[in-house]
Amino acid sequence: MATTPGNRTTGRALRHALCAGMAGGLVVLSGCGLTGAPASTSTATTRGGGDSPSANTAVITEEQAYERVIAQVLPSIVQITTSKGLGSGIVYDTQGHIVTNAHVVGKSKTFEVTLATGGKPRKADLVASYPLGDLAVIRVADRNGLTPANFGDSGRLKVGQIVLAMGNPLGLSGSVTNGIISALGRTVTEPQGEGSPGATITNAIQTSASINPGNSGGALTNLHGEVIGVPTLAAVNPDLGGGAAPGIGFAIPSSTAKDVAEQIIRYGKVTNTRRAALGVRVNTVVDADGRPVGVGVAHVDAGSGAARAGIRPGDIITSVNGKPTPTAASLSEVLAGLRPGTQAKVGVLHPNGKTTTVTVTLGTLSGT
């Protein structure tokens, strides 16, 4: 899997875990299709070849923990069907709100929602989508029997914790895979597609639990029955023709999902992204050989930090705080690690060939 410095994963090495084209049967589009390494402890044996009592107890205890968590959380996981495909969602409250990925809803406004416990599909409508963070909230009209999930604090997670991924991979309703938290604090940029402008996800959770098409918008849970992430992306290996990279998937932290959901439910949109912005609209500039060389400024927002610093349309942004920004995605990744209100040193190449470094006071990224 291709990576860039600073724990940032290139968008080319990632694919959404959204299941499309399901009308003709199960279609594997992309994703990490191999089961993550077993998380259970190895069973010790006596010299006579029999299992030791302590090892048996450990395995039974872990199995019971899995069963308890699945019984607790799975009723909160739904299947979301659109005209383009299907994905997963998490029941957020008793008012019918369901949290999912923006790329699951795409451009659709209405959906069919099927509970993991069965029953007829229920009609649902879009409340709001937040493509820049790849999250959305929909609402079902029939709230009968809904079981809200318990969202945990993703800020307390540790590498090595056992996790379960629950969703509807390949249309197989109510599927569960297991793994561990492989890493924390990743910054990943998604591939562009319907409903996704190539969102940059900060503080992403990397997991070895299998994430396949259809898992998008489901739940990554700990063994306390808490949702600690929303599975969103599976890694692919560009060196193998885009084949799946086993055991590498990414989830949006639950704390981010809760923050976005609460804003959408309360205001009908995301009013505070908590993300830094220069105040420009950009595109990637390439040289004669097609290699990216910087980020071209197409528009500067009036009154923005970029405008006050003297950045103008036609300029090319080449770096931020000394970090090269050859593409729009790399610029987004650098800004994702900065805070609104702070200052950043921005390298600029002007149309006349002159290069300067300007100081920009960062604003807040718009939620639309």
Side-chain angles (χ1 to χ4, degrees):
M1 183 184 71
T3 59
T4 56
N7 287 338
R8 295 185 177 92
T9 306
T10 61
R12 289 173 298 178
L14 298 167
R15 289 185 183 172
H16 292 133
L18 171 65
C19 199
M22 296 304 299
L26 299 183
V27 180
V28 180
L29 292 184
S30 62
C32 178
L34 299 181
T35 304
S40 59
T41 54
S42 300
T43 303
T45 59
T46 63
R47 292 185 178 181
D51 291 340
S52 68
S54 60
N56 279 335
T57 301
V59 172
I60 292 172
T61 300
E62 188 164 303
E63 287 178 351
Q64 290 175 335
Y66 281 18
E67 292 170 359
R68 182 182 67 250
V69 172
I70 293 169
Q72 177 181 342
V73 181
L74 198 57
S76 302
I77 309 305
V78 304
Q79 178 174 294
I80 299 173
T81 303
T82 74
S83 60
K84 299 295 185 180
L86 65 83
S88 304
I90 309 169
V91 177
Y92 190 75
D93 57 27
T94 57
Q95 301 306 306
H97 294 107
I98 293 171
V99 176
T100 186
N101 284 132
H103 75 260
V104 168
V105 304
K107 296 180 180 180
S108 299
K109 302 296 183 182
T110 60
F111 317 90
E112 285 191 342
V113 171
T114 306
L115 304 186
T117 51
K120 294 181 179 180
R122 308 181 184 202
K123 300 296 183 181
D125 295 305
L126 178 68
V127 178
S129 181
Y130 174 51
L132 293 176
D134 201 0
L135 289 166
V137 175
I138 66 175
R139 189 178 188 183
V140 293
D142 180 5
R143 309 168 196 171
N144 183 47
L146 293 183
T147 305
N150 179 23
F151 280 69
D153 181 3
S154 54
R156 302 178 62 181
L157 299 178
K158 295 182 179 179
V159 173
Q161 282 184 266
I162 297 172
V163 290
L164 303 179
M166 303 185 194
N168 307 286
L170 309 182
L172 299 172
S173 178
S175 294
V176 183
T177 57
N178 73 309
I180 63 169
I181 294 175
S182 305
L184 295 167
R186 298 295 199 198
T187 298
V188 293
T189 298
E190 301 182 355
Q192 293 185 353
E194 183 177 359
S196 173
T200 297
I201 299 173
T202 59
N203 296 316
I205 302 166
Q206 181 181 329
T207 179
S208 64
S210 292
I211 296 176
N212 290 287
N215 269 119
S216 280
L220 190 70
T221 73
N222 59 22
L223 292 189
H224 297 292
E226 298 172 325
V227 175
I228 49 87
V230 179
T232 300
L233 295 167
V236 296
N237 191 337
D239 297 329
L240 296 177
I248 304 178
F250 299 93
I252 297 172
S254 58
S255 296
T256 300
K258 286 174 59 179
D259 181 35
V260 169
E262 290 292 342
Q263 291 188 55
I264 289 176
I265 292 170
R266 183 173 182 179
Y267 303 110
K269 62 181 181 178
V270 174
T271 59
N272 187 352
T273 65
R274 312 189 196 285
R275 298 271 290 272
L278 289 172
V280 295
R281 298 176 193 174
V282 300
N283 51 62
T284 299
V285 176
V286 299
D287 62 17
D289 296 322
R291 294 174 299 192
V293 295
V295 181
V297 178
H299 175 82
V300 180
D301 296 337
S304 66
R308 291 194 296 271
I311 296 177
R312 299 289 182 264
D315 289 340
I316 297 176
I317 297 173
T318 58
S319 66
V320 175
N321 288 342
K323 298 178 181 179
T325 56
T327 66
S330 63
L331 175 61
S332 178
E333 290 174 354
V334 173
L335 291 174
L338 303 177
R339 297 191 306 274
T342 61
Q343 293 185 330
K345 301 291 185 180
V346 179
V348 181
L349 173 62
H350 301 283
N352 61 5
K354 181 181 178 180
T355 60
T356 60
T357 299
V358 298
T359 300
V360 178
T361 300
L362 300 173
T364 301
L365 183 67
S366 170
T368 57

